[in-house]
Amino acid sequence: MMQPQEVGEFFAEIKKALDNNWSDEALKSLAKYTVPDAVSGSHSWLLRGDLLTVWGRWFIESLVDLAPYELDAKLSIGHLHVPILAYFNSVSPQVPLDERKIYARVLTKFAWQLVSARRERKRSPIGFALREELWAMGQPEVRCYLCGYKFGKDAQDKFLSASKDEPPMPSLVDFTRPRGMRAAQLCIEVDHIIPVADGGKTTVNNLRLACGWCNSVKNRYTNIYDTIPWSAGILQHPALGPVTQPQPLWVLRTVATRRRCESPDGCTARIEDAELFAGPRNKGGALTPVNVAVYCKQHDPWRLDRWIGPKRLTAALVK
């Protein structure tokens, strides 16, 4: 149950921090608060989980700069262990040495995984045989693994080299995920689950089929905080009026991780058998990461308003 007093006090502190944005005292006061559940939303696990992975990487690289280890193949995990153990020795000398070594090994293994990934980032060609194997793995209905979009015959023929023609452009596009503003967004592309930039391999286990839109938005990103933390602008929607345009990565990350319709009716639609859409949990609110919910076509609260002509969508964006 939401506690109005808790939320009110939290936002009073946020206002103080914003009014004194460059004051360490204002930010220290705000940092003492735990974000109320009502503020973090139903996907708080995603927001907190992604944030913790960011902090973890920042912390590791505050202990030791990984750049020399990435560039010098002569440096091993043993070399990396030395400065990390030295950190524990300096900040926690009262902890028994054997325990310090255990904790240092945990951090060293994590850091070495980052180093190994950076050393190995190399994109291998994806040949026809591999594309055929990925297509066969997706049967009986081959869909984008990130949003559930079902690929048409034109996209299939181009992907399997049976045709050079692009899929036909749609007359309407989803304004939250405008796939079809360009023909390439409708094509089938091969995505690395773990990006090549992070050491992902070009093997079947690390490859999936994605629509061009999802693949371009995902890019090398793995985290909802990898994008600008503000909206992408304002859309003058013909039926809804002014609507805040969400960052594409907010939409993609939420749909691709939740992977099911969140209608309270007990809908069984999953990304493996249905295309899923981002819509508002609170219809009066903007589509921010704390208000994005995932819906199938049947339960989509915007099913009558989601689709807009590409040219009209471009013209409706407030610059």
Side-chain angles (χ1 to χ4, degrees):
M1 180 182 296
M2 185 179 77
Q3 299 296 330
Q5 179 180 352
E6 181 184 31
V7 174
E9 291 175 351
F10 179 69
F11 275 91
E13 287 298 323
I14 288 182
K15 184 178 185 307
K16 289 180 186 177
L18 291 175
D19 290 344
N20 301 276
N21 194 37
W22 296 97
S23 163
D24 64 341
E25 291 303 321
L27 291 173
K28 286 177 181 177
S29 179
L30 176 60
K32 295 176 183 178
Y33 277 75
T34 300
V35 180
D37 290 339
V39 174
S40 57
S42 62
H43 294 153
S44 60
W45 51 270
L46 170 59
L47 303 183
R48 289 170 176 159
D50 273 359
L51 181 60
L52 291 175
T53 63
V54 171
W55 280 359
R57 291 192 179 208
W58 286 349
F59 177 70
I60 286 291
E61 298 204 50
S62 74
L63 302 184
V64 54
D65 190 337
L66 301 183
Y69 298 86
E70 177 184 348
L71 298 177
D72 188 352
K74 295 179 181 178
L75 295 176
S76 68
I77 189 172
H79 295 100
L80 184 58
H81 182 68
V82 173
I84 293 178
L85 178 59
Y87 165 78
F88 281 107
N89 289 339
S90 65
V91 300
S92 303
Q94 74 282 2
V95 175
L97 178 59
D98 60 322
E99 294 184 10
R100 275 180 265 151
K101 288 182 177 180
I102 291 173
Y103 304 144
R105 280 197 294 270
V106 172
L107 270 68
T108 301
K109 288 180 181 178
F110 181 90
W112 189 250
Q113 183 176 344
L114 297 178
V115 170
S116 299
R118 294 176 186 180
R119 284 183 177 181
E120 296 171 7
R121 43 192 173 192
K122 181 179 179 182
R123 186 176 293 274
S124 302
I126 299 173
F128 181 74
L130 189 51
R131 294 202 305 274
E132 275 195 317
E133 184 175 358
L134 291 168
W135 180 263
M137 287 171 56
Q139 298 297 331
E141 287 189 338
V142 185
R143 296 177 177 271
C144 171
Y145 88 106
L146 294 167
C147 72
Y149 174 70
K150 185 177 178 180
F151 298 118
K153 183 67 165 55
D154 296 286
Q156 172 188 344
D157 289 345
K158 182 170 176 58
F159 180 69
L160 297 177
S161 303
S163 170
K164 294 183 179 180
D165 296 334
E166 302 279 3
M169 299 289 283
S171 57
L172 299 172
V173 297
D174 173 2
F175 75 87
T176 72
R177 183 177 53 209
R179 180 196 301 110
M181 300 294 283
R182 299 189 305 276
Q185 296 173 344
L186 302 165
C187 291
I188 304 170
E189 298 183 356
V190 178
D191 179 56
H192 290 75
I193 301 172
I194 300 174
V196 173
D198 290 338
K201 309 288 188 183
T202 305
T203 59
V204 169
N205 291 338
N206 191 47
L207 299 177
R208 295 293 184 273
L209 299 183
C211 68
W213 189 90
C214 284
N215 196 32
S216 65
V217 171
K218 177 177 178 284
N219 202 330
R220 63 150 294 174
Y221 303 135
T222 58
N223 194 294
I224 204 167
Y225 301 104
D226 285 339
T227 190
I228 298 171
W230 311 114
S231 68
I234 297 175
L235 169 71
Q236 289 288 358
H237 193 282
L240 299 173
V243 176
T244 297
Q245 192 78 346
Q247 288 290 347
L249 191 60
W250 297 351
V251 172
L252 177 62
R253 181 77 172 142
T254 305
V255 171
T257 53
R258 194 63 181 100
R259 305 184 69 82
R260 62 158 299 167
C261 177
E262 295 183 300
S263 169
D265 295 346
C267 180
T268 60
R270 300 291 192 276
I271 209 165
E272 291 78 15
D273 55 35
E275 183 173 0
L276 300 178
F277 303 90
R281 194 172 301 277
N282 168 24
K283 290 188 70 171
L287 216 59
T288 66
V290 298
N291 193 40
V292 174
V294 182
Y295 299 102
C296 67
K297 182 178 180 180
Q298 178 183 350
H299 294 106
D300 179 13
W302 279 346
R303 59 185 173 275
L304 301 178
D305 304 309
R306 180 175 297 281
W307 306 99
I308 302 177
K311 290 184 179 179
R312 189 172 188 178
L313 176 59
T314 299
L317 292 170
V318 178
K319 307 223 175 136

